[in-house]
Amino acid sequence: MKSIAVILSGCGVFDGSEIHESVLTMLALSQNNAEVHYFSPNDLQPTVINHITGEEKSEKRNMMEESSRISRGKISPLSEAKAENFDAVIIPGGFGAAKNLCNFATKGSDCEINKDLLRFVQAMHQQNKPLGLICIAPVMLPKMLNSPVKLTIGNDAETARAIEKMGGVHVDCPVDDIVVDEKYRVVTTPAYMLAQSIAQAQVGIEKLVKKVLEMA
């Protein structure tokens, strides 16, 4: 049984992990008999968004507490994640990936990565273990791996330019497919960067999970 770390960043598309993408990832991992462990930064979110109106709220929410809503309470601080315990890592999308796991949402190509995420992903990469990133999460890859990694976020031209500026190689990809970088052992898929329904998002995410498990 493969042991997979899933990194969450809150609960909800506009200020945390995209819930559909997270649950589809969890379902695909379960269907493929993987053991899943959930992690999140144990920090406050920089923003809290009303998901009905899209407006920012003044309240404070903790990323790990919010993420535990998706993981049904089973979650650990990202600072405790150790690469030697896992065969692969998968990071769903949502604005939390661009706001909470890094600050790409505000800094663009000058973004910085959460220090605990950077430590864990770099350790996984050094141990030649595969990485799967979904939706907007792949924007972090050039900074995390410090290499010309091949990846996709779909076909958004502005985001693709930022990825290229950071040293990544962006590949346009349809919603139902994946981009695989065999050299750097990375799998990415657009999901809700392009998906118009949960059914569309499911196809690419299932392919990503199967490929990550195969590489592991």
Side-chain angles (χ1 to χ4, degrees):
M1 182 181 288
K2 303 289 173 62
S3 184
I4 311 301
V6 173
I7 311 300
L8 301 176
S9 59
C11 182
V13 58
F14 299 128
D15 59 10
S17 289
E18 212 295 323
I19 297 171
H20 294 179
E21 292 174 359
S22 301
V23 173
L24 289 169
T25 298
M26 295 156 64
L27 176 62
L29 286 167
S30 178
Q31 289 173 329
N32 286 276
N33 199 37
E35 181 180 84
V36 184
H37 297 265
Y38 304 98
F39 294 94
S40 172
N42 187 16
D43 297 309
L44 291 178
Q45 298 175 188
T47 63
V48 176
I49 304 296
N50 180 324
H51 277 59
I52 299 172
T53 65
E55 295 175 353
E56 187 169 338
K57 302 180 73 176
S58 59
E59 67 184 81
K60 300 295 184 184
R61 295 196 184 190
N62 177 280
M63 283 181 241
M64 193 168 79
E65 288 182 12
E66 291 299 296
S67 297
S68 71
R69 295 173 182 269
I70 298 174
S71 66
R72 295 172 61 89
K74 294 181 179 180
I75 197 162
S76 301
L78 184 54
S79 59
E80 296 179 3
K82 295 181 179 179
E84 57 265 29
N85 295 335
F86 302 101
D87 298 298
V89 59
I90 297 179
I91 308 177
F95 273 108
K99 289 179 175 180
N100 305 346
L101 299 182
C102 71
N103 54 8
F104 181 84
T106 54
K107 298 290 188 179
S109 59
D110 293 323
C111 67
E112 297 176 337
I113 311 298
N114 173 282
K115 66 180 186 343
D116 291 319
L117 179 65
L118 187 64
R119 171 196 56 78
F120 179 56
V121 168
Q122 288 183 342
M124 292 289 287
H125 181 63
Q126 286 164 5
Q127 293 178 26
N128 206 35
K129 295 174 178 177
L131 315 173
L133 289 89
I134 297 165
C135 190
I136 192 64
V139 298
M140 298 186 285
L141 282 165
K143 289 287 180 83
M144 291 196 298
L145 303 188
N146 195 28
S147 62
V149 57
K150 186 170 67 173
L151 62 99
T152 191
I153 47 82
N155 58 20
D156 183 76
E158 185 177 353
T159 308
R161 281 195 295 271
I163 288 166
E164 301 275 346
K165 188 174 180 181
M166 289 187 283
V169 178
H170 184 264
V171 180
D172 283 357
C173 178
V175 66
D176 60 352
D177 209 354
I178 58 176
V179 168
V180 181
D181 189 318
E182 296 284 358
K183 178 179 179 181
Y184 294 107
R185 297 178 62 73
V186 170
V187 188
T188 53
T189 192
Y192 274 104
M193 288 296 286
L194 294 176
Q196 298 299 307
S197 69
I198 190 171
Q200 284 189 353
Q202 186 266 342
V203 180
I205 290 173
E206 185 174 32
K207 286 182 180 179
L208 177 141
V209 167
K210 286 183 175 179
K211 184 62 179 178
V212 167
L213 291 173
E214 175 190 313
M215 294 171 81

